[in-house]
Amino acid sequence: MKDVYILGIESSCDETSVSIVKNGCEEIATVILSQIDIHKNFGGVVPEIASRNHVKNITIVLEECLERAKMHMEDIDAIAVTYGPGLIGSLLVGLEAAKTLSFVYNKPLIPVHHIAGHIYANNLVEPLQFPLIALVISGGHTELVLMRDHLQFEKLGSTLDDAVGECYDKVARVMGISYPGGPLVDQLAHEGKDCYSLPIPLDDGSYNFSFSGLKSAVINLVHNEKQRGNKIKKADLATSFQNVVVETLTKKTMQALKDYHVNHLIVAGGVAANQGIRTRLVELCEQNHITVSFPDMKYCTDNAAMIAAVGYYLYQDGKTSSLKLNSKSTSELK
Ligand code: KG4
Ligand code: ZN
């Protein structure tokens, strides 16, 4: 069979990324230009600044990717692009670049849902095995998804309010840690003691999550301690917080695997980099004879390789789009 090369484009938040992936599983080249250092100064992503920087970066990233892959646009079979969900201005930059390339080089255009991309980051490690349950944990999403085959996404539950990564970043902020604080809170969590009492969120037997109560509890705790003139023990707070998050995520995930008689678990999204979550899931899956896979660290946060990976399967299914394709800030994974 002829090899298929998909060029992926991702610009849904603050990373401008282009990648070329062969047959949905083999990364040829990926370039990611992160704007974290710019947004750090504002304590979070500023949408208008993000889109302006995508405009500045997209051509540079595209050219660099083709150069690293030693390929030309003529060698590409199709162009896959994140159409949503995400920041609308940011999405539009990647989408317009993809449409232009599709028009100029006469290549099929493939719309990709950002969360499908995160899930398929695991296909770059080893082929997905079905049925599987995907735990999607990122800055914007917390979802449990059942997949019986490629591209069949059945949402079992999701967050009712804040996403887990968002919760990490807000907790980090109140602790005086700069954006995005998730990785540092994770690091600190390994140095402290679990001595702050925090509420277990939405312990209701459903597959839904809720993190705003936990976030508020941490914020209130920090403010109360400050008012009393007490110093917060950052590492202890990080440990206590992370333990609650790990307990909540793993409990619901293991329950879903059991209820649906599924033996394969994949974890996806930026928070899949979390060491506490990785360690506990590996432990639980070993005990329950479940295979668990995590994306490579470089594919946890936003990147275009994951978009090109899922783009391959959409291309094989003929799921291409006309140039009328528009971006969507919100969109259900279907
Ligand atoms: O997937 P991603 O790049 O963005 C979205 O699609 O939302 O995820 C970024 C999120 C941020 O909230 C960041 O703080 C979080 O992932 N994150 C972590 C860790 N590494 C990244 N959160 C907890 N522990 C980590 N090690
Ligand atoms: Zn993402």
Side-chain angles (χ1 to χ4, degrees):
M1 229 166 61
K2 183 189 166 290
D3 287 328
V4 174
Y5 293 90
I6 305 286
L7 182 123
I9 300 180
E10 157 65 37
S11 68
S12 66
C13 191
D14 58 344
E15 269 95 21
T16 322
S17 180
V18 175
S19 174
I20 297 168
V21 170
K22 182 172 143 188
N23 301 332
C25 59
E26 195 185 318
E27 180 197 31
I28 304 297
T30 303
V31 179
I32 306 172
L33 221 161
S34 172
Q35 304 175 16
I36 281 182
D37 286 342
I38 299 167
H39 298 285
K40 224 175 214 166
N41 305 322
F42 305 97
V45 178
V46 183
E48 178 60 25
I49 296 178
S51 12
R52 282 189 216 171
N53 279 283
H54 283 306
V55 172
K56 241 170 48 188
N57 297 338
I58 188 77
T59 319
I60 301 166
V61 171
L62 171 69
E63 282 173 357
E64 172 76 22
C65 179
L66 287 165
E67 201 175 309
R68 280 195 208 169
K70 299 192 173 41
M71 290 176 82
H72 303 282
M73 276 312 295
E74 289 76 11
D75 307 320
I76 300 296
D77 291 281
I79 296 150
V81 62
T82 308
Y83 70 91
L87 301 172
I88 199 75
S90 293
L91 286 163
L92 276 168
V93 179
L95 189 74
E96 288 310 315
K99 282 190 195 177
T100 309
L101 291 171
S102 164
F103 178 70
V104 171
Y105 293 98
N106 196 22
K107 305 284 177 190
L109 179 67
I110 305 166
V112 177
H113 192 283
H114 184 73
I115 295 303
H118 273 303
I119 292 174
Y120 274 78
N122 283 276
N123 204 59
L124 295 161
V125 182
E126 54 184 334
L128 300 183
Q129 282 179 282
F130 303 103
L132 63 79
I133 282 188
L135 171 66
V136 183
I137 40 179
S138 73
H141 303 269
T142 312
E143 293 185 11
L144 274 169
V145 179
L146 170 65
M147 288 180 74
R148 298 183 200 273
D149 206 342
H150 276 297
L151 307 177
Q152 292 185 13
F153 307 103
E154 213 176 299
K155 193 162 95 178
L156 303 180
S158 62
T159 181
L160 304 177
D161 39 60
D162 291 6
V164 62
E166 189 183 349
C167 184
Y168 261 96
D169 295 339
K170 287 183 178 156
V171 161
R173 193 173 176 172
V174 79
M175 286 164 69
I177 298 167
S178 69
Y179 173 84
L184 214 77
V185 172
D186 183 18
Q187 205 180 311
L188 274 176
H190 296 275
E191 297 164 15
K193 296 187 299 294
D194 187 344
C195 58
Y196 289 106
S197 164
L198 295 167
I200 301 275
L202 207 66
D203 194 13
D204 62 349
S206 78
Y207 305 122
N208 288 325
F209 303 94
S210 164
F211 288 102
S212 73
L214 176 62
K215 173 195 70 184
S216 304
V218 174
I219 294 173
N220 290 341
L221 192 148
V222 171
H223 288 166
N224 289 342
E225 290 296 295
K226 262 190 196 156
Q227 269 170 1
R228 290 193 194 109
N230 296 335
K231 249 193 144 177
I232 271 289
K233 288 175 247 146
K234 279 190 193 175
D236 291 352
L237 184 56
T239 310
S240 311
F241 166 73
Q242 181 145 306
N243 283 355
V244 173
V245 172
V246 171
E247 167 68 14
T248 307
L249 291 175
T250 55
K251 189 172 170 183
K252 299 210 175 206
T253 305
M254 297 314 290
Q255 190 61 48
L257 287 159
K258 192 167 161 226
D259 293 349
Y260 285 88
H261 310 288
V262 171
N263 295 326
H264 302 291
L265 170 67
I266 60 170
V267 190
V271 187
N274 186 279
Q275 288 307 323
I277 293 167
R278 282 183 178 233
T279 308
R280 185 71 184 130
L281 276 179
V282 166
E283 219 171 71
L284 287 168
C285 286
E286 228 170 71
Q287 283 166 17
N288 292 280
H289 310 290
I290 285 160
T291 62
V292 56
S293 102
F294 300 90
D296 277 359
M297 285 307 216
K298 63 179 174 181
Y299 300 135
C300 281
T301 43
D302 293 346
N303 65 85
M306 65 187 199
I307 303 302
V310 69
Y312 168 79
Y313 294 93
L314 291 163
Y315 176 66
Q316 300 290 25
D317 264 16
K319 302 255 171 56
T320 56
S321 166
S322 75
L323 292 177
K324 285 188 184 146
L325 179 67
N326 213 340
S327 46
K328 288 187 177 163
S329 57
T330 57
S331 165
E332 281 290 317
L333 176 62
K334 283 196 283 277

